[in-house]
Amino acid sequence: MGQPYGADKQVMAPDTWLRKFFRLLNRSEADRAAVLAQNREYWKYLLFGSFALILTAIYAPPLAQSFLTWYRVHPDIAMPEADWRVIYASSDHPCGNIATDDPRCLANPANPKLWNSPVKRFDGEHEKRLVSRYGKDYWLGLTIPAETVTAARAVQANQFMVGHFMSSYSIWVDGVFVRNGRGIGESSPVILRFDARRMNSATPMQLAIHVNYDNDYQVPDHFCNNLRQGFLRQVTADRFITLMSFWERARPFSLLLSYALISVLFFFLWLGAPKKQEYFYMSLFALASAAWEARWTDVLFSHFHHQMNLSIGIAVRCYLSGFALLTALAFARVRSGLLRGTLSMVLFAPIALAFAADVASLQVLRGFLLREVTPICFFLGSLVCFAQAFALARQLTSNTRVPVRVHRLSLFGTGFLVASVYYFCDGNHFFLPTERTFWRGFEFLLFMLYFGAIALKEYAEDVVLVNKTPVSEYHRRPVLPDAISGAIMVADLKSSEPFYKQRAADNSGNLVSMWRSHFYTSVLKHGGVIINKKGDEVIAFFDSERCPNPAAAALRAIDDIAAMSELLALEFKRQDLFPGEVNGFFFRGSLSLGSIRPVWEEMAGGNREAYWEEAGNTSPFVEASRLLDLERKVPGTHSDVSLLVLREDAAAGLVEQFPELARKFIQRNCAFADKHGHAHAVAVYSPAVVARHLKVAA
């Protein structure tokens, strides 16, 4: 008579404290369903948005205020293009700490050679004169008028902004040595502080700077507009120091780390989806952006000599522009030959350009890259995306047109076009400021976020499609469960051949497929999952952790399926779509209890296929198949009635718990023999909608 009701219980291992602890921590089916529930997702959106909004409200105002302050910070007593005098020669005698003791020292205020030199620092020829001084030294001298010192004292500006140096230097004030430095390794600007005695003096102030041209930068004394010379108050000096700390340390380091993390993120996304080549090239673009920002960090900038820094910068800029173009080509799905050819050129051209020229040629090449090459690469990327979008939009049939793809190509092309215009204006100094460009470098981040959002939108949709595939949620778990207890429901559509014949004859819609779709909906509505379908047969499973009573949930689903089948048949008949040989959608079904488990079967070529097998000491698949065959032996069954067969002990348990189900069982405790001659006690369930059509023989 088969196994007794409740035979689906397995023989469990001893329930130790460790097993209890793991079971306490392990997520249940109800927890998984709650995590995936849509209403829970809205709470997460709200939480993320609220948290981001609060942090923005706290940190954005002071950051914006700092940026605005940096834009407005200037010396309190400015000295634009101060009257620096230059001697492109060494001092006649080495200068000590007290230069006034040596009349031959150029830093001695009594020695007029430096202070009265006819050569001026800002006469436009300084850079040319320095060419012959590489590896040697030269002197700078500045006489600050007494009235300027008095004006600075009046506003309590007792510090003087000198600027930056790219080579080693030593400084004397009024013939007294005050400081020296390596120059290129210093991120903070050179700011001199004077005591009250000197500020109260009514005499001119004389600054002498000895520069050793030991690093091959065109102008070792880097007096730029970002650090204008003049007297500063303490608060102004602090702002200048903070500004330069942000520019030369915080900004490049933070962007370097951000772009490196973005690069790793896209690389791992590409590992999971190798066909998405744009992820790979986006990771290379982000990596090149990280290398471009790394050049500006004071640690790396001071480590290499000038020509090496120029060569690295040119190579990195070539790669950055080339990988941006390759990202656009990959996103536009161009021919593999074009992609490989472009990649070869991008990989090898920068090396030949960067390391086969002198400093002067490298300077010209760097300007050409910034003004011409980068904008052109982004423009070509936008052109390819727009061309692909236009070609797809011109396709005439709705089956081949992909409007979402056209939209994304247009967005991608627009982003590249905006980037091209930006880099053209930036390289040629059109419309964009050339001073205090604190935002420079962040444009890469904006472009990556924009392009990444478009590319990742496709990735998210691919994930959604994977989640909607027949592969069950159980197979997508990191660890497959050993056993899942519940109810197996099998349904087989009766008289399906006329439907297929009609479809083949007049190329009409697949009515069986539409019926199956509604079948799936009913199963999912009552907590079940579809685990298999073959031809007209569909197998559903109702998990005991998701359904308090899996068998009752299956019967409720059967009732819904029968009602849906009747309504669907009436609608198709109204539209004259139904085959004449059949009267409706009717099915035979079976229900069995037991345990199953998800497995992956290895296939040829390294592929895997999702599969289910019986677990424990139960055989629900075998039993469901046997009961489905027994439906044919039920008295009064025919092609125009839907019936479900289950074991008598299972039916007894259901009726005991749900007495209202008793009227839907049209046969109880019937003995039918299977094909092997074994007798089985079964009950026959008739869905409520069609029960009135059945006349059972006594």
Short mmCIF file of all heavy atoms in Angstrom, two decimals, residues 361-390:
data_model
loop_
_atom_site.label_atom_id
_atom_site.label_comp_id
_atom_site.label_asym_id
_atom_site.label_seq_id
_atom_site.Cartn_x
_atom_site.Cartn_y
_atom_site.Cartn_z
N SER A 361 61.29 68.29 -26.55
CA SER A 361 60.32 67.59 -27.40
C SER A 361 59.19 66.99 -26.56
O SER A 361 58.03 66.97 -26.98
CB SER A 361 61.02 66.49 -28.19
OG SER A 361 62.03 67.03 -29.02
N LEU A 362 59.54 66.49 -25.37
CA LEU A 362 58.51 65.93 -24.50
C LEU A 362 57.51 67.00 -24.05
O LEU A 362 56.32 66.73 -23.94
CB LEU A 362 59.16 65.28 -23.28
CG LEU A 362 59.94 63.98 -23.53
CD1 LEU A 362 60.65 63.52 -22.26
CD2 LEU A 362 59.01 62.87 -24.02
N GLN A 363 58.00 68.21 -23.81
CA GLN A 363 57.09 69.29 -23.43
C GLN A 363 56.10 69.59 -24.56
O GLN A 363 54.90 69.76 -24.33
CB GLN A 363 57.90 70.55 -23.10
CG GLN A 363 58.64 70.49 -21.78
CD GLN A 363 57.72 70.71 -20.60
OE1 GLN A 363 56.54 70.93 -20.74
NE2 GLN A 363 58.28 70.61 -19.39
N VAL A 364 56.61 69.64 -25.78
CA VAL A 364 55.73 69.88 -26.93
C VAL A 364 54.74 68.73 -27.10
O VAL A 364 53.55 68.95 -27.35
CB VAL A 364 56.58 70.07 -28.21
CG1 VAL A 364 55.68 70.20 -29.44
CG2 VAL A 364 57.46 71.30 -28.08
N LEU A 365 55.23 67.51 -26.95
CA LEU A 365 54.37 66.34 -27.11
C LEU A 365 53.30 66.30 -26.03
O LEU A 365 52.14 65.96 -26.31
CB LEU A 365 55.22 65.08 -27.05
CG LEU A 365 54.49 63.74 -27.26
CD1 LEU A 365 53.76 63.72 -28.59
CD2 LEU A 365 55.48 62.58 -27.17
N ARG A 366 53.65 66.67 -24.82
CA ARG A 366 52.66 66.69 -23.73
C ARG A 366 51.55 67.69 -24.03
O ARG A 366 50.36 67.40 -23.85
CB ARG A 366 53.35 67.05 -22.42
CG ARG A 366 52.42 67.09 -21.22
CD ARG A 366 53.22 67.39 -19.95
NE ARG A 366 52.34 67.43 -18.79
CZ ARG A 366 51.70 68.50 -18.38
NH1 ARG A 366 51.81 69.65 -19.06
NH2 ARG A 366 50.93 68.46 -17.31
N GLY A 367 51.91 68.87 -24.51
CA GLY A 367 50.90 69.85 -24.88
C GLY A 367 50.01 69.37 -26.00
O GLY A 367 48.78 69.59 -25.99
N PHE A 368 50.61 68.66 -26.97
CA PHE A 368 49.83 68.14 -28.10
C PHE A 368 48.83 67.08 -27.62
O PHE A 368 47.68 67.04 -28.08
CB PHE A 368 50.78 67.54 -29.13
CG PHE A 368 50.08 66.86 -30.28
CD1 PHE A 368 49.41 67.60 -31.24
CD2 PHE A 368 50.08 65.48 -30.39
CE1 PHE A 368 48.76 66.98 -32.30
CE2 PHE A 368 49.44 64.85 -31.43
CZ PHE A 368 48.78 65.60 -32.40
N LEU A 369 49.26 66.25 -26.69
CA LEU A 369 48.35 65.23 -26.15
C LEU A 369 47.15 65.88 -25.44
O LEU A 369 46.00 65.47 -25.64
CB LEU A 369 49.09 64.33 -25.16
CG LEU A 369 50.02 63.26 -25.75
CD1 LEU A 369 50.82 62.60 -24.65
CD2 LEU A 369 49.21 62.21 -26.50
N LEU A 370 47.43 66.88 -24.61
CA LEU A 370 46.36 67.51 -23.85
C LEU A 370 45.42 68.30 -24.74
O LEU A 370 44.21 68.30 -24.54
CB LEU A 370 46.96 68.42 -22.77
CG LEU A 370 47.77 67.72 -21.67
CD1 LEU A 370 48.41 68.75 -20.74
CD2 LEU A 370 46.90 66.77 -20.88
N ARG A 371 45.97 68.98 -25.75
CA ARG A 371 45.14 69.85 -26.61
C ARG A 371 44.43 69.10 -27.71
O ARG A 371 43.31 69.46 -28.09
CB ARG A 371 46.01 70.95 -27.23
CG ARG A 371 46.54 71.98 -26.26
CD ARG A 371 47.17 73.14 -27.03
NE ARG A 371 48.17 72.67 -27.98
CZ ARG A 371 49.45 72.51 -27.71
NH1 ARG A 371 49.90 72.78 -26.48
NH2 ARG A 371 50.30 72.08 -28.62
N GLU A 372 45.06 68.06 -28.26
CA GLU A 372 44.54 67.43 -29.47
C GLU A 372 44.12 65.97 -29.27
O GLU A 372 43.00 65.58 -29.59
CB GLU A 372 45.60 67.50 -30.59
CG GLU A 372 46.22 68.87 -30.79
CD GLU A 372 45.24 69.88 -31.34
OE1 GLU A 372 44.20 69.47 -31.88
OE2 GLU A 372 45.52 71.09 -31.23
N VAL A 373 45.05 65.14 -28.77
CA VAL A 373 44.84 63.69 -28.80
C VAL A 373 43.68 63.27 -27.88
O VAL A 373 42.78 62.53 -28.30
CB VAL A 373 46.13 62.95 -28.41
CG1 VAL A 373 45.87 61.44 -28.29
CG2 VAL A 373 47.22 63.21 -29.43
N THR A 374 43.69 63.73 -26.63
CA THR A 374 42.63 63.33 -25.70
C THR A 374 41.25 63.74 -26.20
O THR A 374 40.32 62.93 -26.22
CB THR A 374 42.90 63.89 -24.30
OG1 THR A 374 44.14 63.37 -23.82
CG2 THR A 374 41.79 63.50 -23.34
N PRO A 375 41.04 65.01 -26.62
CA PRO A 375 39.72 65.36 -27.16
C PRO A 375 39.32 64.54 -28.37
O PRO A 375 38.15 64.17 -28.52
CB PRO A 375 39.86 66.85 -27.51
CG PRO A 375 40.98 67.35 -26.68
CD PRO A 375 41.92 66.19 -26.56
N ILE A 376 40.29 64.24 -29.26
CA ILE A 376 39.97 63.47 -30.47
C ILE A 376 39.55 62.05 -30.11
O ILE A 376 38.60 61.50 -30.68
CB ILE A 376 41.18 63.46 -31.43
CG1 ILE A 376 41.35 64.85 -32.06
CG2 ILE A 376 41.00 62.41 -32.52
CD1 ILE A 376 42.58 64.98 -32.92
N CYS A 377 40.24 61.42 -29.15
CA CYS A 377 39.88 60.05 -28.75
C CYS A 377 38.45 60.00 -28.20
O CYS A 377 37.67 59.10 -28.54
CB CYS A 377 40.87 59.52 -27.72
SG CYS A 377 42.48 59.07 -28.40
N PHE A 378 38.11 60.94 -27.34
CA PHE A 378 36.75 60.97 -26.80
C PHE A 378 35.74 61.28 -27.90
O PHE A 378 34.63 60.73 -27.89
CB PHE A 378 36.65 61.99 -25.67
CG PHE A 378 37.09 61.47 -24.34
CD1 PHE A 378 38.40 61.61 -23.91
CD2 PHE A 378 36.19 60.83 -23.50
CE1 PHE A 378 38.81 61.13 -22.69
CE2 PHE A 378 36.59 60.33 -22.27
CZ PHE A 378 37.91 60.48 -21.86
N PHE A 379 36.12 62.14 -28.84
CA PHE A 379 35.20 62.46 -29.94
C PHE A 379 34.96 61.24 -30.83
O PHE A 379 33.82 60.96 -31.25
CB PHE A 379 35.75 63.62 -30.77
CG PHE A 379 34.88 63.98 -31.94
CD1 PHE A 379 33.69 64.68 -31.75
CD2 PHE A 379 35.22 63.60 -33.23
CE1 PHE A 379 32.88 65.01 -32.82
CE2 PHE A 379 34.41 63.93 -34.30
CZ PHE A 379 33.24 64.64 -34.10
N LEU A 380 36.04 60.49 -31.14
CA LEU A 380 35.87 59.27 -31.94
C LEU A 380 34.99 58.26 -31.21
O LEU A 380 34.17 57.58 -31.84
CB LEU A 380 37.24 58.66 -32.25
CG LEU A 380 38.13 59.45 -33.22
CD1 LEU A 380 39.50 58.78 -33.35
CD2 LEU A 380 37.46 59.57 -34.59
N GLY A 381 35.16 58.15 -29.89
CA GLY A 381 34.30 57.25 -29.12
C GLY A 381 32.84 57.64 -29.21
O GLY A 381 31.96 56.78 -29.39
N SER A 382 32.56 58.94 -29.11
CA SER A 382 31.17 59.39 -29.24
C SER A 382 30.64 59.14 -30.64
O SER A 382 29.48 58.76 -30.82
CB SER A 382 31.07 60.88 -28.89
OG SER A 382 31.68 61.68 -29.88
N LEU A 383 31.49 59.33 -31.65
CA LEU A 383 31.06 59.13 -33.04
C LEU A 383 30.66 57.68 -33.29
O LEU A 383 29.63 57.40 -33.93
CB LEU A 383 32.20 59.54 -33.98
CG LEU A 383 31.83 59.77 -35.45
CD1 LEU A 383 30.87 60.95 -35.58
CD2 LEU A 383 33.10 60.04 -36.26
N VAL A 384 31.45 56.74 -32.76
CA VAL A 384 31.14 55.32 -32.95
C VAL A 384 29.83 54.95 -32.25
O VAL A 384 28.98 54.25 -32.82
CB VAL A 384 32.30 54.46 -32.41
CG1 VAL A 384 31.91 52.98 -32.41
CG2 VAL A 384 33.54 54.65 -33.27
N CYS A 385 29.64 55.45 -31.03
CA CYS A 385 28.40 55.15 -30.30
C CYS A 385 27.18 55.73 -31.01
O CYS A 385 26.14 55.06 -31.15
CB CYS A 385 28.49 55.69 -28.88
SG CYS A 385 29.64 54.80 -27.81
N PHE A 386 27.29 56.97 -31.50
CA PHE A 386 26.17 57.58 -32.22
C PHE A 386 25.88 56.84 -33.52
O PHE A 386 24.72 56.67 -33.92
CB PHE A 386 26.46 59.05 -32.50
CG PHE A 386 26.29 59.94 -31.30
CD1 PHE A 386 27.22 60.93 -31.02
CD2 PHE A 386 25.21 59.79 -30.45
CE1 PHE A 386 27.07 61.75 -29.92
CE2 PHE A 386 25.06 60.61 -29.34
CZ PHE A 386 25.99 61.59 -29.08
N ALA A 387 26.94 56.39 -34.21
CA ALA A 387 26.75 55.66 -35.46
C ALA A 387 26.02 54.34 -35.22
O ALA A 387 25.09 53.99 -35.97
CB ALA A 387 28.10 55.41 -36.13
N GLN A 388 26.40 53.63 -34.17
CA GLN A 388 25.72 52.37 -33.85
C GLN A 388 24.28 52.62 -33.44
O GLN A 388 23.37 51.87 -33.81
CB GLN A 388 26.47 51.66 -32.72
CG GLN A 388 27.80 51.04 -33.16
CD GLN A 388 27.61 49.82 -34.04
OE1 GLN A 388 27.33 49.96 -35.23
NE2 GLN A 388 27.74 48.65 -33.47
N ALA A 389 24.05 53.67 -32.66
CA ALA A 389 22.68 53.99 -32.25
C ALA A 389 21.82 54.33 -33.46
O ALA A 389 20.66 53.91 -33.56
CB ALA A 389 22.69 55.15 -31.26
N PHE A 390 22.38 55.09 -34.39
CA PHE A 390 21.64 55.46 -35.59
C PHE A 390 21.32 54.23 -36.44
O PHE A 390 20.20 54.09 -36.96
CB PHE A 390 22.45 56.47 -36.41
CG PHE A 390 21.78 56.92 -37.67
CD1 PHE A 390 20.73 57.82 -37.63
CD2 PHE A 390 22.20 56.44 -38.91
CE1 PHE A 390 20.11 58.24 -38.79
CE2 PHE A 390 21.58 56.84 -40.07
CZ PHE A 390 20.53 57.75 -40.02
#
